[in-house]
Amino acid sequence: MSDSDLHPEPETRLDEDDRLRPEFVRDVLDAVEAGDGGAARDLVGPLHPADIADLFELTPSDERAALAAALGDLVDGDVLAEMNDHVREEIVDALEPHQVADIASELDTDDAVAIIEDMDDADQAAVLRALDPDDRAAIEAALAYPEESAGRLMQRELIAVPEHMTVGQVIDYLREHKDLTTDFWEVFIVDPQHRPIGTAQLSWILRTPRGVAMTDVMKREQTLIPVDMDQEEVALRFQKYALISAAVVDGGGRLVGMITVDDIVHVIQEEAGEDILKLSGAGDGDINEPILLTVRTRLVWLIVNLGTAIVAASVVGLFQGEISRLALLAVLMPIVSGMGGNAGTQTLAVVVRALAVNQLTSSNTVRMILREFRIALMNGLALGLLIGGGVAWLYGNPALGGVIGAAMIINNLVAGLAGILVPVGLEKLDVDPAVSSAVFVTMATDVMGFFSFLGLAALAGLAG
């Protein structure tokens, strides 16, 4: 292997979209398979931790353990923190507890918790025992908070100073205490009860004379995050107030941690994809998720959908006589239910997103319902005229055209109302609307689509 093969230029590792090139991944895996760990490390060494994490995600599951062994200490805490949850779990399971403990001790609390929280209880206990007392206490405290809460998301490594300090004293404090965190953007000022009373950006401190009191340079208005707040609500606050970092406080208002925007970027990405996947019943939708877990998640919702399909089919069964006398009804009725389902999905997607980002609240729900009703009515009239006219012309049956046109209008109205009332109602019942709404909306549009079309056809005597 030539020196250029061992040390490829950056442009040969990544494509124009900053993704690892397939040939580069293959070169690394070939080196691992050949038992040449040195060559693999030479290839991977220059990569950013996020790109090394991508390398593991692109590697077949049965080859990841060998890759981790070949790369050795290149698989550090920064790499594990960037990994997909399922891939990281595989790698961590292959490590000894003391190795996981060494990696966790290098990380901020939030990243260490992300690595440890999904481990089995026995392995988790072994890792915690291997940590030094201070790190163990911090991680155990974080694990005590609910999953996907600010307490799990926050890091305890921050800079907090008492309110009586001057700018000069703070600078001296930062320089003299080598054990302080080195990765921070602002300093929190706290009162004697350790409650945050203000913040000061580093740029303000560096540009202010030493004798000025911190209480004179700090910003008193700040966004405080309760330690038990859901991470999705935390992300909304960061987005709304354009935060870089924010203090996390306990029930007594005492400063217990800090959340930074880099953590929130991951949350926003996760939550955005999560709601879309829940609407389809696809679970996590992670291509690295174990196959049996994926099958179990999807099968549950497919069985639920089977039940709703049976309900819709039973409605069709009420009109077997009409269908047998006019087979054309069986040809046309899927159009009504299908278009209603599409219209309901459109409304549902908009409403679930509005609920997720707090655009839809109790103060504007009625206005939103009326808005969607008007949209559904206009779309229904347009589609009804289009399909009604087409059917009347194609089959030479104006009555049949009128029936399918009227059914299209009715089902669009049902779709629009179901698309907003179902998720809003589930939200009121503290049920995640992204998980359950699609099933109920689909059932409503299918049942009403079949019932309105076949019922109107029976009333009009089309099958007489």
Side-chain angles (χ1 to χ4, degrees):
M1 185 175 290
S2 68
D3 186 65
S4 61
D5 291 331
L6 286 174
H7 303 282
E9 294 300 318
E11 59 268 18
T12 66
R13 302 187 191 103
L14 305 175
D15 62 17
E16 61 277 5
D17 296 319
D18 287 333
R19 296 173 300 192
L20 292 175
R21 293 182 181 276
E23 54 270 23
F24 173 78
V25 176
R26 191 67 262 160
D27 288 344
V28 174
L29 297 182
D30 286 344
V32 173
E33 187 177 352
D36 193 350
R41 287 191 293 274
D42 286 336
L43 286 167
V44 176
L47 293 177
H48 186 277
D51 292 320
I52 299 177
D54 286 345
L55 174 64
F56 276 92
E57 293 174 22
L58 294 170
T59 299
S61 179
D62 57 354
E63 298 181 42
R64 287 171 183 158
L67 176 61
L71 296 184
D73 57 7
L74 287 178
V75 187
D76 57 13
D78 291 332
V79 173
L80 288 176
E82 296 287 347
M83 273 187 193
N84 169 276
D85 291 346
H86 297 290
V87 177
R88 180 172 59 218
E89 188 174 345
E90 286 184 24
I91 303 302
V92 169
D93 285 345
L95 299 176
E96 295 296 325
H98 70 86
Q99 293 175 296
V100 180
D102 290 341
I103 291 172
S105 64
E106 301 171 0
L107 298 171
D108 290 334
T109 308
D110 57 329
D111 292 328
V113 168
I115 292 174
I116 296 174
E117 65 182 349
D118 294 325
M119 301 178 71
D120 294 337
D121 291 343
D123 293 335
Q124 190 179 100
V127 171
L128 291 173
R129 284 196 301 269
L131 288 167
D132 67 59
D134 289 340
D135 290 335
R136 181 170 63 249
I139 292 174
E140 286 178 338
L143 290 172
Y145 295 114
E147 290 188 26
E148 298 189 349
S149 67
R152 287 285 185 99
L153 192 62
M154 72 181 183
Q155 60 189 60
R156 291 173 175 267
E157 296 77 16
L158 52 80
I159 304 296
V161 299
E163 57 186 326
H164 62 75
M165 273 191 171
T166 65
V167 169
Q169 289 173 325
V170 170
I171 293 174
D172 293 339
Y173 170 74
L174 296 175
R175 290 174 177 171
E176 293 169 2
H177 290 76
K178 304 299 183 183
D179 57 337
L180 294 175
T181 180
T182 57
D183 188 12
F184 62 97
W185 179 77
E186 63 183 345
V187 172
F188 297 99
I189 296 86
V190 296
D191 66 12
Q193 287 74 44
H194 207 67
R195 292 178 299 204
I197 60 172
T199 64
Q201 297 178 15
L202 285 176
S203 57
W204 303 349
I205 296 173
L206 293 175
R207 293 169 61 90
T208 303
R210 291 178 58 88
V212 176
M214 287 297 295
T215 50
D216 292 333
V217 72
M218 72 181 185
K219 180 179 68 173
R220 295 184 180 275
E221 299 79 17
Q222 56 181 320
T223 300
L224 300 178
I225 307 295
V227 73
D228 57 353
M229 177 179 283
D230 184 84
Q231 65 176 18
E232 188 171 2
E233 183 63 29
V234 176
L236 290 173
R237 290 201 178 185
F238 267 72
Q239 181 181 10
K240 182 176 181 179
Y241 299 113
L243 303 176
I244 301 297
S245 63
V248 180
V249 295
D250 63 13
R254 292 179 293 273
L255 179 65
V256 293
M258 172 184 69
I259 294 176
T260 55
V261 70
D262 60 311
D263 301 313
I264 294 303
V265 169
H266 293 295
V267 172
I268 293 173
Q269 182 182 27
E270 289 174 6
E271 296 290 348
E274 187 179 82
D275 285 346
I276 296 300
L277 291 165
K278 284 180 178 178
L279 280 173
S280 65
D284 289 341
D286 194 325
I287 62 174
N288 295 294
E289 186 179 54
I291 291 177
L292 290 179
L293 179 58
T294 302
V295 170
R296 186 166 68 247
T297 302
R298 296 187 187 183
L299 186 59
V300 168
W301 288 106
L302 290 174
I303 291 174
V304 173
N305 286 332
L306 177 61
T308 62
I310 292 172
V311 173
S314 66
V315 173
V316 177
L318 298 175
F319 300 93
Q320 291 183 70
E322 286 76 8
I323 294 174
S324 64
R325 288 189 292 272
L326 183 60
L328 193 55
L329 295 177
V331 175
L332 296 176
M333 66 182 184
I335 298 176
V336 179
S337 63
M339 292 303 297
N342 290 335
T345 300
Q346 288 178 339
T347 303
L348 182 60
V350 171
V351 173
V352 168
R353 178 189 176 278
L355 288 170
V357 299
N358 284 346
Q359 286 184 337
L360 180 56
T361 64
S362 56
S363 62
N364 64 349
T365 298
V366 173
R367 187 168 72 249
M368 184 71 170
I369 293 173
L370 294 175
R371 177 180 184 272
E372 290 300 325
F373 180 85
R374 290 196 296 269
I375 292 172
L377 179 60
M378 288 187 284
N379 284 339
L381 287 170
L383 292 172
L385 288 172
L386 185 62
I387 188 65
V391 167
W393 173 77
L394 184 62
Y395 297 105
N397 191 335
L400 181 59
V403 165
I404 193 171
M408 186 70 76
I409 295 171
I410 293 170
N411 205 26
N412 263 268
L413 289 173
V414 170
L417 292 175
I420 184 170
L421 292 178
V422 168
V424 168
L426 291 173
E427 176 84 359
K428 296 292 185 183
L429 296 173
D430 290 328
V431 177
D432 189 346
V435 176
S436 310
S437 296
V439 173
F440 295 113
V441 172
T442 300
M443 183 176 69
T445 55
D446 283 351
V447 169
M448 185 52 66
F450 293 142
F451 185 79
S452 60
F453 178 57
L454 296 175
L456 289 174
L459 289 174
L462 292 179

